[in-house]
Structures are given as C-alpha cells and as structure tokens.
Amino acid sequence: MDNKRLKRALGGAIPLAILITGISYNSYVKIHTFTLSGSERVKSEEIQPVSGSVKITSTADTDVVFTDIESGETYVIGYITSGVGETIKLERGKWYRVEGIGELTVRPVNVRIE
C-alpha cells in the first residue's frame, strides 16, 4: 500500500516540478530581455551574454553586428527578417556593442546603462 502511495505522489510531483522549472526559466529570460528602440535609424547598445548564445529579433529586415568591446572583433548575423529570430554564439561575460535597424530585442543579456 505504501508503494502505491509513493508512486502516486511522485506521479504528481514530477510534472509539477517540471512546470515550476519552466515558469522560473521563462521569468529569468524575461528579466534578461532587452529591446533597443528609439527614433534613430541604427540602434547601438552594449550587452553582455548571460549564457553562451544570444537570440535577437527585429521589427525590420536588417543585418545585426556584434562588436567585442575589448578586441574590436565583429560577429555578424548577415540578415534577419522582421519578426524572425536568429541565435548567435558569443562568449559569456564579455561586453559587445550590438547594432542594427528597427526595434531590436536581444535575450538573455545584461545591458550596460551609463
């Protein structure tokens, strides 16, 4: 009888744990999502990847350029279409300047505000 109760309890606890983990991750990503917007045509801001990759979307068709602040090395997403996201691998903990046209949304990142 105890074995059945344990299985039933685990059967309910595991999906609940997965649900809580998913909600927590989505909240974490939302906190580390930044949208570059404004009146200027080309947006530019300094970002730092939270993990090894950054997802970016734009409201306009654009090339997106990431420039390493220290070395000046550039990484380019050749072309993204409005509303369609692309992912790029960048080194975690480094600061990059991101440039592109339209309202750019990047995640998960930290943003340098001066």
Side-chain angles (χ1 to χ4, degrees), residues 21-39:
T21 301
I23 291 170
S24 298
Y25 176 75
N26 284 338
S27 296
Y28 177 79
V29 168
K30 194 174 207 174
I31 289 170
H32 289 89
T33 298
F34 184 74
T35 301
L36 295 160
S37 60
S39 60

Side-chain angles (χ1 to χ4, degrees), residues 7-8 12-13 17 29-30 45 47 50 52 62 95 97 99 101:
K7 284 183 182 181
R8 200 174 308 144
V29 168
K30 194 174 207 174
E45 195 67 54
I47 57 106
V50 172
T62 184
W95 287 98
R97 173 167 282 113
E99 298 176 25
I101 297 172

Side-chain angles (χ1 to χ4, degrees), residues 23-93:
I23 291 170
S24 298
Y25 176 75
N26 284 338
S27 296
Y28 177 79
V29 168
K30 194 174 207 174
I31 289 170
H32 289 89
T33 298
F34 184 74
T35 301
L36 295 160
S37 60
S39 60
E40 68 270 12
R41 183 167 162 75
V42 176
K43 301 339 180 255
S44 176
E45 195 67 54
E46 291 183 14
I47 57 106
Q48 181 184 54
V50 172
S51 62
S53 62
V54 173
K55 182 170 184 171
I56 187 160
T57 57
S58 177
T59 57
D61 296 352
T62 184
D63 294 340
V64 181
V65 179
F66 294 86
T67 305
D68 185 322
I69 299 299
E70 291 178 13
S71 70
E73 189 173 351
T74 59
Y75 305 88
V76 178
I77 295 177
Y79 186 80
I80 59 173
T81 304
S82 176
V84 178
E86 288 286 334
T87 302
I88 187 169
K89 295 219 180 264
L90 298 172
E91 192 171 331
R92 182 177 178 215

